[in-house]
């Protein structure tokens, strides 16, 4: 990772080259993925996407920047995300735009704008891509990070909440992760929330809290319950919890979600103090946490949002969704020592020895690619030794070694780079031979 102003992705100082041209580094707090590690990133992202795809969630590809007001309203004016972390700027037409700090507001905007909710409910969509938050960078916390998200909008059904949670769980399992925990709570609804908020504010108002925390009691009292400082924790230990003050409808919904999770064999830990950094949540709210990640332990999170569609000018429809942090899931894989991805760039590597052999191997490579085999060649007229070194480095299972004399005899050397076994194969049949050996 590159994390400072002065180091480049390779860790080298961005001094310059022999002709004095300045060298640039990636922006501070931005993680980059380059080969061979990018194979792991791609695998994680694809695996998480595939889990949503299998449940019928269709792709939405949305803008990376939106009208600033969409996030201010959608995410919540008093959240850290909106007050401190947004990359906001005026474009050349003097419109205030913001690099998306999260995915849900944009999805809801798109659902409304394209009338997706008029064509059958629920609307089920998934997305993957970068998000931007101006946070203090540290391990697992970046200013540009990647999420895979999914949203189901328009049907208020506990089974759908369970589906969304199960999809995230399925993605983690498919990667081989086992050590994470699902934390679950209910944040209630428009009926029980206002009364609970007042109750909590009354309770917290009587405690000897510092001024900044008292101010938070006024703006978002729920967040005070999630304060990590031991003295504040001790003070609020007996504060009333929303889970004990749910409306009958929210309670029923919550019980049903838990029932579905039990049926699905998905373990969860009820955490009545779970607080999320975004304001739109109601009812089911959850986070997946991984112990191998230090302070930034949330590998994914989400929940139900009853009021967001109408808040953003659409019909009054419920929604439920999640966002999974791809960078953090990758860290979790490393922490658990699971690596289900292959770092092999190709399956076959061709080493031509001589001009005529090169012409022929270029053709064989094209044919193999057409047959679905991943192939690379040694370019630049390099020696046999250099070519074989490149073959090993590519991760290929087989090397094809072709000299001009082989060519005259219509054969090619086929080396299994795992076992070291060598064969001579007819050039005319080598494509079929490799397809068979690789299947
Ligand atoms: P979120 O919890 O703010 O939720 O972000 C989703 C995930 O992104 C987190 O669980 C975490 O893994 C990852 N993440 C967040 N911030 C960073 C960061 N600075 N660096 C690296 N990873 C990070 C949302 O954004 C909601 N839109 C999820 C949702 C969808 N809720 C309902 N539908």
């Amino acid at each position: 990772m590159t994390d400072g102003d002065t180091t480049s992705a390779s860790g080298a100082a961005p001094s310059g080259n022999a002709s004095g041209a300045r060298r640039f580094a990636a922006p501070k707090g931005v993680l980059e993925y380059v080969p061979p590690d990018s194979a792991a990133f791609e695998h994680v992202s694809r695996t998480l996407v595939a889990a949503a795809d299998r449940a019928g969630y269709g792709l939405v590809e949305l803008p990376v920047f939106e009208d600033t007001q969409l996030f201010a309203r959608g995410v919540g004016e008093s959240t850290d995300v909106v007050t401190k972390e947004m990359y906001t700027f005026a474009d050349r037409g003097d419109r205030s735009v913001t690099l998306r700090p999260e995915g849900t507001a944009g999805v809801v905007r798109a659902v409304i704008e394209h009338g997706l909710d008029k064509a059958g409910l629920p609307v089920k969509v998934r997305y993957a891509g970068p998000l931007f938050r101006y946070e203090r960078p540290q391990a697992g916390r970046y200013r540009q990070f990647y999420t895979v998200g999914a949203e189901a909008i328009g049907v208020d059904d506990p089974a759908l909440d369970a589906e969304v949670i199960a999809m995230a769980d399925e993605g983690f399992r498919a990667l081989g992760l086992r050590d994470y925990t699902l934390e679950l709570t209910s944040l209630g609804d428009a009926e029980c929330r206002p009364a609970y908020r007042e109750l909590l504010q009354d309770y917290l108002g009587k405690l000897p809290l510092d001024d900044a925390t008292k101010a938070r009691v006024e703006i978002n009292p729920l967040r005070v319950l999630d304060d990590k400082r031991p003295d504040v924790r001790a003070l609020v230990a007996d504060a009333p919890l929303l889970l004990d003050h749910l409306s009958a409808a929210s309670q029923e919904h919550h019980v049903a979600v838990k029932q579905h999770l039990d049926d699905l064999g998905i373990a969860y830990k009820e955490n009545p103090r779970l607080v999320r950094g975004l304001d739109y949540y109601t009812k089911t709210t959850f986070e997946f946490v991984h112990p191998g990640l230090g302070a930034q332990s949330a590998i994914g999170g989400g929940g139900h949002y009853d009021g967001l569609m109408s808040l953003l000018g659409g019909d009054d429809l419920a929604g439920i969704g999640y966002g999974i942090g791809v960078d953090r899931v990758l860290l979790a894989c490393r922490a658990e020592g699971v690596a289900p991805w292959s770092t092999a760039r190709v399956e076959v590597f061709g080493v031509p020895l001589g001009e005529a052999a090169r012409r022929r191997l270029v053709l064989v490579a094209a044919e193999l690619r057409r047959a679905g085999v991943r192939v690379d060649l040694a370019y630049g007229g390099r020696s046999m030794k250099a070519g074989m070194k490149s073959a090993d480095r590519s991760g290929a299972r087989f090397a094809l070694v072709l000299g001009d004399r082989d060519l005259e005899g219509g054969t090619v050397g086929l080396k299994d780079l795992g076992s070291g076994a060598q064969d001579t194969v007819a050039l005319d049949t080598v494509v079929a031979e490799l397809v068979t050996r690789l299947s």
Side-chain angles (χ1 to χ4, degrees), residues 83-98:
T83 56
K84 300 183 194 156
E85 296 169 3
M86 295 208 302
Y87 279 88
T88 298
F89 55 96
D91 72 6
R92 288 178 188 272
D94 220 21
R95 303 168 195 89
S96 178
V97 293
T98 294

Side-chain angles (χ1 to χ4, degrees), residues 388 397-401 413-418 420-423 437:
M388 291 311 287
R397 274 183 61 195
F398 297 102
L400 283 179
V401 185
L414 175 58
K415 182 172 181 186
D416 183 322
L417 292 170
Q422 301 205 41
D423 287 316
R437 289 207 196 188

Side-chain angles (χ1 to χ4, degrees), residues 124-376:
K124 285 177 154 192
V125 290
R126 62 176 160 83
Y127 48 96
L131 303 181
F132 306 85
R133 294 183 193 173
Y134 194 82
E135 295 194 80
R136 200 165 46 74
Q138 63 180 83
R141 188 166 68 194
Y142 313 111
R143 290 182 174 168
Q144 173 172 329
F145 58 98
Y146 292 83
T147 60
V148 167
E151 315 286 348
I153 294 171
V155 175
D156 190 356
D157 183 340
L160 201 49
D161 295 21
E163 172 178 282
V164 163
I165 292 172
M167 264 159 30
D169 185 67
E170 203 48 53
F172 298 143
R173 295 213 151 254
L175 287 166
L177 290 174
R178 295 291 178 266
D179 293 347
Y180 58 89
T181 313
L182 166 62
E183 298 194 352
L184 181 73
T185 193
S186 170
L187 290 181
D189 55 30
E191 195 192 324
C192 53
R193 273 272 275 277
Y196 169 73
R197 189 184 154 98
E198 229 172 90
L199 182 76
L200 183 61
Q201 280 176 327
D202 272 358
Y203 184 92
L204 297 175
K206 294 184 189 117
L207 300 178
L209 296 163
D210 59 89
D211 287 349
T213 312
K214 274 187 183 149
R216 206 170 316 137
V217 170
E218 292 312 310
I219 299 164
N220 192 339
L222 267 172
R223 215 161 284 156
V224 178
L225 295 186
D226 187 43
D227 202 306
K228 301 282 182 282
R229 292 170 295 178
D231 52 331
V232 180
R233 265 176 181 260
L235 277 171
V236 304
D238 295 325
L241 297 170
L242 179 50
L243 216 45
D244 300 324
H245 296 269
L246 292 179
S247 65
S250 279
Q251 176 67 16
E252 196 183 314
H253 189 99
H254 191 54
V255 169
V257 171
K258 289 193 290 183
Q259 182 66 63
H260 283 298
L261 293 178
D262 290 340
D263 291 348
L264 289 163
I266 296 175
Y268 55 86
K269 198 176 95 192
E270 207 145 32
N271 177 3
R273 286 164 188 266
L274 179 64
V275 179
R276 308 255 309 127
L278 316 159
D279 272 356
Y280 45 66
Y281 292 110
T282 55
K283 300 211 280 262
T284 308
T285 305
F286 58 90
E287 218 158 65
F288 287 89
V289 294
H290 197 284
L293 266 67
Q296 308 305 317
S297 61
I299 53 174
H304 208 93
Y305 42 89
D306 278 342
L308 191 56
M309 278 285 290
S310 60
L311 186 70
L312 296 178
D315 289 351
D316 189 9
L317 296 175
I320 169 88
Y322 64 60
I324 301 176
V326 177
D327 316 86
R328 289 190 191 171
V329 173
L330 192 49
L331 292 175
C333 288
R334 298 231 154 94
E336 282 197 42
V338 294
W341 50 81
S342 158
T343 49
R345 278 195 304 116
V346 288
E347 298 160 288
V348 175
F349 197 94
V351 181
L353 307 169
E355 188 55 34
R358 179 166 47 188
R359 281 188 66 186
R360 186 59 195 263
L361 265 192
V362 165
L363 286 184
V364 172
E367 252 184 84
L368 279 166
R369 287 173 189 148
R370 233 171 274 139
V373 178
R374 294 151 65 215
V375 192
D376 195 7

Side-chain angles (χ1 to χ4, degrees), residues 15-45:
S15 49
N17 62 4
S19 52
R22 183 189 154 198
R23 204 178 278 175
F24 294 90
K28 182 177 162 68
V30 171
L31 196 58
E32 298 184 290
Y33 295 96
V34 295
D37 288 350
S38 49
F41 173 84
E42 199 172 32
H43 181 85
V44 168
S45 179

